[in-house]
Amino acid sequence: MRKYELIVPCHFGMEAVLKQEIHDLGYDILEVVDGRVTFLGDEEALCRANIFLRTAERVLIKVGSFHAESFEELFEGTRALPWEDYIPEDGKFWVTKAASVKSKLFSPSDIQSVMKKAMVERLKGVYHMSWFQEDGAQFPIRVFLMKDQVTVGLDSTGVSLHKRGYRKLVAQAPIAENLAAGMIMLTPWNGQRILVDPFCGSGTIPIEAAMMAANIAPGMDRDFTAEDWPYVISKGLWRDAQEEAEDLVNLDIETDIQGYDIDEHMVEIARDNARRAGVEKLIHFQRRDVAQLSHSKKYGFLIMNPPYGERIHEKQELPALYRTIGERFALLDTWSMYLISAYEQAQQYIGRKADKNRKIYNGMMKTYYYQFLGPKPPRVKA
């Protein structure tokens, strides 16, 4: 099989988690930079990465890279790339996104326009055509410019990988599925341990945890752009990866995963989403205020995405809310708490400094993942 450099973007701050995921799939890491990981893999790797990676945004085939400080250099560099290796005569191709950091070329629309023209010129010469209907499969391209170095990737995913397909209804400020998965993966939690989300909203954190516990691959029930690229990847490889994922699922497990929310309507939405994800039997949802948070068991995990105060009317309520979180957590003396928030005074009102603190960008919003570590449970004697 042909080898590719596969570029996998992720949330800023989640690179180490994604790197470990790719390593666990059995592939060699080539590069880790802010917001993305690059690894070496073949067509099978591309299929498996799309289906199995929990913290990824998408999977790109690196078409090439070059230096460009002017639009003329951008045009020539783009035209020199082997587009015919990927795009057939009837392919629909366009630059869907251009990102530029510390580069002389910084206008996304101009970068997109110049690159499209260069691609057309290249393919005109290869296919001996003056006009492309572009009524076939889609070939979206993404480009990153960093210090005048242009990296071009062909998007095999399409709709972002955080859209698993189970979340039809959401809360006002939902957390992305891949970010929720990354939050869980940054803890020592496993399917045999207790997990409670007291601000579950549409149920994303508990659902992602249940999918991990049951070994359900996040991309099992969705489609990918590259499935329509038999010119690049055979349908058989997609079927093989899908069958591998199906064989690994185990719903015959016992879990203690709970999601609470003060809004009964959100609890119903969470239950519906869990049903769509196939994990409704693994999660207990209930209406409960965080002020009522308690649990009789020991050594559990609180993993949550509480309000940050994005809406003006919430801001005045935040001190009392975070104070309540701190008070209820203090009563769970053997538990650990993991909390993502953009609220700068979170630790102050929780009443305790986090043992660990990781900066993560939730979209363009800077957040902090506060980690309050409880004691480890005693070892079970053999």
Side-chain angles (χ1 to χ4, degrees), residues 25 48 52 239-249:
L25 281 180
R48 295 181 73 230
F52 286 99
R239 284 195 299 270
D240 291 346
Q242 184 70 26
E243 288 173 5
E244 178 189 359
E246 290 170 358
D247 289 344
L248 292 171
V249 174

Side-chain angles (χ1 to χ4, degrees), residues 59-79:
V59 181
L60 310 174
I61 298 174
K62 183 177 177 181
V63 181
S65 62
F66 53 89
H67 188 86
E69 298 183 27
S70 67
F71 284 117
E72 182 180 356
E73 289 177 332
L74 179 67
F75 183 93
E76 293 301 333
T78 303
R79 187 168 64 173

Side-chain angles (χ1 to χ4, degrees), residues 95-366:
V95 180
T96 183
K97 185 173 181 181
S100 177
V101 178
K102 299 178 181 178
S103 297
K104 292 181 177 63
L105 301 178
F106 56 83
S107 168
S109 60
D110 289 336
I111 292 168
Q112 290 167 304
S113 177
V114 168
M115 292 185 68
K116 170 73 176 186
K117 290 175 183 175
M119 293 166 65
V120 169
E121 286 302 310
R122 170 78 182 205
L123 294 177
K124 274 184 180 180
V126 173
Y127 293 126
H128 307 291
M129 297 170 63
S130 59
W131 178 259
F132 294 93
Q133 286 291 118
E134 298 193 49
D135 55 359
Q138 298 188 357
F139 293 83
I141 291 99
R142 290 181 173 245
V143 58
F144 312 94
L145 282 78
M146 170 61 78
K147 296 181 179 178
D148 302 317
Q149 185 69 17
V150 183
T151 302
V152 184
L154 185 62
D155 182 7
S156 73
T157 302
V159 176
S160 172
L161 288 175
H162 82 267
K163 292 185 179 293
R164 319 295 204 207
Y166 64 76
R167 204 166 71 173
K168 302 302 180 186
L169 297 169
V170 299
Q172 282 186 319
I175 190 166
E177 294 92 319
N178 57 350
L179 180 53
M183 288 168 57
I184 298 165
M185 294 167 78
L186 283 168
T187 79
W189 180 82
N190 60 59
Q192 286 74 52
R193 304 284 295 276
I194 311 158
L195 187 154
V196 174
D197 177 3
F199 297 93
C200 74
S202 49
T204 307
I205 291 174
I207 291 170
E208 290 293 320
M211 289 175 68
M212 289 181 200
N215 219 4
I216 298 174
M220 269 184 57
D221 295 321
R222 53 156 292 166
D223 299 321
F224 306 98
T225 298
E227 289 182 83
D228 295 326
W229 298 353
Y231 184 64
V232 181
I233 304 164
S234 76
K235 290 281 188 181
L237 290 175
W238 288 105
R239 284 195 299 270
D240 291 346
Q242 184 70 26
E243 288 173 5
E244 178 189 359
E246 290 170 358
D247 289 344
L248 292 171
V249 174
N250 179 16
L251 291 168
D252 297 324
I253 54 174
E254 296 289 332
T255 58
D256 193 346
I257 301 171
Q258 302 177 31
Y260 309 149
D261 202 277
I262 196 171
D263 185 340
E264 182 65 43
H265 180 58
M266 290 312 308
V267 172
E268 287 304 314
I269 287 174
R271 289 190 180 119
D272 285 342
N273 289 338
R275 275 192 286 273
R276 272 186 285 270
V279 294
E280 70 274 18
K281 295 179 181 179
L282 303 180
I283 309 170
H284 173 68
F285 290 108
Q286 65 173 279
R287 182 189 177 280
R288 185 188 286 195
D289 192 321
V290 68
Q292 300 172 310
L293 177 62
S294 64
H295 207 290
S296 60
K297 294 183 180 179
K298 294 184 176 295
Y299 304 106
F301 290 78
L302 294 174
I303 304 180
M304 67 183 82
N305 174 40
Y308 307 163
E310 306 99 310
R311 291 174 286 277
I312 294 173
H313 72 275
E314 289 179 346
K315 290 186 177 179
Q316 61 190 23
E317 301 170 2
L318 291 183
L321 176 64
Y322 281 79
R323 192 178 294 116
T324 300
I325 292 171
E327 290 169 353
R328 302 314 297 182
F329 175 53
L331 298 175
L332 297 166
D333 60 337
T334 61
W335 283 51
S336 298
M337 179 168 71
Y338 298 82
L339 178 154
I340 192 169
S341 181
Y343 184 42
E344 296 284 352
Q345 295 171 286
Q347 294 176 101
Q348 175 186 336
Y349 288 107
I350 287 171
R352 174 177 163 182
K353 183 176 173 59
D355 298 290
K356 293 183 179 180
N357 184 3
R358 178 186 289 257
K359 187 188 299 182
I360 297 171
Y361 278 83
N362 185 1
M364 297 303 293
M365 182 183 295
K366 182 174 68 174

